[in-house]
């Protein structure tokens, strides 16, 4: 630890109390949350407005009994975890381990998705020429390179994970070092001399919010985008279709419910009323199944029971992005009879007014696959029925996840 270098708390730090009662925090999608011991809290607070370790230590000493050795060790850990950064640089002092987006695997997969990459390339060619551009989450740098090639005046490529090392090599290999400036940091820790005309982002998950899209965009559009500037994509629709889940192929819960229905027959055989067991199964784990799976196949093979239903339509550029908790219920109109077991969730990202990118089950398959959510109950439905969907946005460490279930029927 250098005692005279000013450090500051990362703006991307999010802390939560874990179920174990311990405090945990992370600054990045690609870093596992790390524990913070209680004595770390006042130390962190001492750096909140920016401070050298020497000044922070002196201030802490006024109120706490604190040893310089223990303090130094704590500061070292806070730096290692990127909870603290050198002030004013926004530079990631310690790159996260090669996990999640820090690993090349996910990027290889994304780069091979021609639908995704070419849609972005076309939209970037429409909007980058003559503009100053920033990209949030440049990964291997491919979209930033498109912007440079399309004639952007300047491109700032921001990437928080270790994949930034590959982006640096890509920028160099493509002869764009003079035009593309790589900033290795979380976007929250990046400051620009001047806001830009265009912000490109592809931090869309299969659940579109799971990579922290909304809080990230809210921050960058406020701080890094010129008034009247453009976000690419600028609009996001979140949609779903109702799907049938075969009784035995669904989730554990769906299977359990199907098995419990057999108890009706067994009540007769055993001569014992088994209704309470069935009811107990129905009450068990009443929440929607959290496990999400993507279907990495070229064809969507589930029986679809509804037309496309829109859950959200977000104006990323000007709209309210502070989504949290329970949202308004969404009516889902059934168009084919079957056993309603869940929904396939997908998005339609409007890269601009003419180019859209979607992982709809009815469109060409993309790297996102399909996100199939299994409801907490199976529901026989007929064409023309309307069911109500309960939609909730859950947030942990600024990552969000949509929870969708059939809403319980309203009491008269
Ligand atoms: C889905 S990948 C897309 C990569 C690249 N733009 C492409 O299209 O191939 C998203 C990338 O954004 C990075 N990322 C996500 N949120 C970020 C943030 N707030 N600041 C910096 N990087 C971020 C991730 O580490 C990841 O590499």
């Amino acid at each position: 630890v250098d005692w005279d270098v000013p450090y500051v708390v990362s703006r991307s730090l999010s802390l939560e109390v874990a179920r174990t009662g311990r405090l945990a925090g992370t600054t990045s999608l690609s870093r596992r949350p790390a524990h913070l011991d209680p004595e770390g809290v006042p130390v962190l607070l001492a750096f909140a407005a920016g401070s050298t370790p020497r000044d922070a230590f002196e201030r802490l000493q006024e109120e706490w009994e604190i040893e310089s050795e223990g303090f130094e060790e704590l500061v070292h850990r806070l730096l290692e975890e990127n909870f603290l950064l050198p002030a004013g640089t926004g530079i990631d002092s310690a790159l996260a381990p090669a996990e999640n987006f820090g690993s090349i695997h996910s990027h290889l997969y994304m780069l091979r998705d021609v639908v995704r990459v070419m849609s972005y390339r076309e939209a970037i060619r429409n909007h980058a020429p003559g503009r100053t551009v920033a990209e949030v989450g440049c990964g291997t740098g491919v979209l930033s390179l498109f912007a440079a090639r399309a004639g952007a005046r300047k491109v700032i490529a921001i990437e928080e994970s270790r994949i930034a090392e590959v982006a640096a090599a890509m920028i160099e290999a493509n002869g764009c070092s003079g035009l593309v400036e790589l900033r290795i940091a979380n976007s929250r820790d990046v400051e620009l001399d001047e806001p830009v005309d265009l912000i490109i982002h592809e931090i869309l998950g299969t659940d579109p919010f799971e990579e922290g899209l909304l809080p990230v965009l809210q921050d960058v559009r406020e701080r890094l985008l010129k008034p009247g500037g453009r976000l690419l994509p600028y609009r996001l629709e979140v949609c779903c279709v109702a799907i049938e889940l075969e009784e035995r192929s669904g989730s554990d819960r769906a299977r359990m419910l199907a098995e419990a229905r057999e108890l009706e027959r067994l009540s007769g055989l055993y001569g014992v009323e088994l209704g309470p067991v069935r009811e107990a199964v129905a009450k068990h784990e009443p929440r929607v199944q959290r496990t999400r799976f993507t279907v990495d196949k070229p064809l969507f093979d589930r029986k679809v029971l509804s037309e496309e239903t829109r859950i959200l339509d977000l104006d990323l550029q000007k709209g309210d992005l502070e989504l949290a908790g329970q949202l308004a219920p969404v009516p889902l109109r059934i168009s084919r009879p079957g056993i309603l077991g869940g929904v396939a969730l997908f998005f339609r990202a409007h890269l601009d007014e003419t180019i859209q990118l979607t992982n709809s089950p009815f469109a060409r398959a993309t790297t996102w696959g399909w996100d199939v959510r299994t409801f907490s109950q199976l529901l026989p439905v007929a064409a023309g029925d309307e069911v109500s969907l309960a939609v909730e946005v859950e947030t942990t460490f600024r990552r969000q996840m949509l929870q969708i279930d059939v809403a319980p029927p309203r009491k008269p």
Side-chain angles (χ1 to χ4, degrees):
V1 168
D2 191 331
W3 283 81
D4 295 308
V5 167
Y7 295 111
V8 68
V9 177
S10 165
R11 293 187 66 235
S12 64
L13 174 62
S14 100
L15 285 172
E16 288 191 6
V17 176
R19 278 180 192 275
T20 54
R22 295 181 71 190
L23 202 56
T26 180
T27 57
S28 158
L29 283 174
S30 298
R31 267 178 188 276
R32 288 199 197 142
H35 286 298
L36 179 69
D37 292 329
E39 56 270 30
V41 176
V43 175
L44 207 52
L45 294 178
F47 284 97
S51 174
T52 63
R54 194 174 307 285
D55 291 345
F57 182 65
E58 277 169 18
R59 269 182 284 125
L60 285 166
Q61 261 187 328
E62 288 167 16
E63 284 182 53
W64 306 75
E65 273 185 33
I66 182 166
E67 306 267 330
S68 76
E69 223 168 78
F71 171 79
E72 190 167 6
E73 207 172 287
L74 247 168
V75 172
H76 180 72
R77 265 208 59 215
L78 295 174
L79 282 166
E80 241 180 16
E81 291 297 341
N82 267 19
F83 290 11
L84 287 182
L85 301 173
T89 60
I91 295 289
D92 222 355
S93 51
L95 275 177
E99 277 174 17
N100 199 10
F101 286 118
S103 131
I104 191 70
H105 288 98
S106 57
H107 293 277
L108 174 62
Y109 199 50
M110 288 186 279
L111 278 179
R112 291 181 60 232
D113 181 344
V114 176
V115 176
R116 185 190 81 97
V117 177
M118 291 304 278
S119 302
Y120 266 93
R121 187 170 91 134
E122 198 182 336
I124 289 168
R125 283 175 157 188
N126 287 347
H127 300 284
R131 304 250 157 80
T132 53
V133 179
E135 186 191 358
V136 185
C138 74
T140 53
V142 61
L143 305 185
S144 285
L145 288 171
F146 288 158
R149 287 271 160 83
R153 271 199 287 136
K154 169 98 206 140
V155 184
I156 319 264
I158 305 168
E159 174 56 50
E160 66 173 10
S161 80
R162 193 166 274 278
I163 198 68
E165 290 168 349
V166 178
M170 286 271 287
I171 295 165
E172 172 99 47
N174 284 278
C176 288
S177 305
L179 202 56
V180 183
E181 182 190 335
L182 180 64
R183 302 282 284 268
I184 306 175
N186 181 279
S187 54
R188 274 193 191 78
D189 292 316
V190 170
E191 280 173 30
L192 301 179
D193 296 337
E194 242 189 290
V196 293
D197 303 313
L198 173 70
I199 292 184
I200 302 167
H201 59 96
E202 198 287 73
I203 45 176
L204 286 160
T206 304
D207 177 319
F209 302 145
E210 70 188 323
E211 293 176 25
L213 177 76
L214 301 181
V216 169
L217 290 188
Q218 199 163 11
D219 172 62
V220 296
R221 74 181 188 183
E222 266 170 40
R223 296 187 310 109
L224 308 183
L225 188 64
K226 271 188 195 158
R230 179 181 274 272
L231 283 183
L232 188 168
Y234 79 103
R235 175 180 166 205
L236 184 77
E237 291 175 86
V238 181
C239 308
C240 70
V241 284
I243 53 167
E244 176 159 276
L245 280 181
E246 287 153 30
E247 296 198 347
R248 289 187 177 279
S249 72
S251 62
D252 286 352
R253 174 163 171 72
R255 187 167 49 243
M256 233 175 118
L257 286 166
E259 284 164 0
R261 269 201 296 282
E262 284 174 20
L263 294 180
E264 273 168 43
R265 186 174 53 80
L266 295 178
S267 286
L269 182 66
Y270 299 161
V272 171
E273 174 48 48
L274 295 171
V277 177
R278 251 185 7 250
E279 283 158 27
V281 171
K283 277 198 207 124
H284 171 73
E285 198 197 333
R287 293 214 55 166
V288 68
Q289 183 106 4
R290 279 215 70 172
T291 40
R292 167 184 69 78
F293 59 97
T294 51
V295 188
D296 179 25
K297 281 189 253 164
L299 282 176
F300 188 73
D301 60 359
R302 309 268 155 171
K303 180 173 163 193
V304 173
L305 302 180
S306 76
E307 301 296 319
E308 173 180 319
T309 298
R310 194 157 67 190
I311 297 173
L312 286 166
D313 186 357
L314 297 173
D315 175 350
L316 301 177
Q317 215 149 262
K318 297 195 202 83
D320 177 12
L321 302 184
E322 270 186 52
L323 294 188
Q326 207 80 40
L327 307 180
V330 176
L332 177 72
R333 184 166 289 280
I334 300 299
S335 53
R336 276 172 86 187
I339 307 285
L340 173 65
V343 288
L345 183 69
F346 58 94
F347 61 78
R348 182 171 296 107
H350 296 254
L351 304 190
D352 69 5
E353 289 71 7
T354 55
I355 303 168
Q356 300 171 9
L357 184 58
T358 179
N359 63 335
S360 157
F362 309 121
R364 251 179 91 181
T366 66
T367 180
W368 285 283
W370 301 290
D371 190 345
V372 175
R373 302 301 179 90
T374 308
F375 291 158
S376 58
Q377 54 183 302
L378 297 175
L379 214 62
V381 287
D385 282 358
E386 191 177 286
V387 288
S388 179
L389 295 180
V391 183
E392 199 181 337
V393 180
E394 272 190 3
T395 309
T396 32
F397 294 111
R398 291 210 183 102
R399 296 173 80 149
Q400 296 182 308
M401 179 71 102
L402 278 168
Q403 297 294 345
I404 304 176
D405 201 356
V406 275
R410 269 199 237 132
K411 300 226 168 77

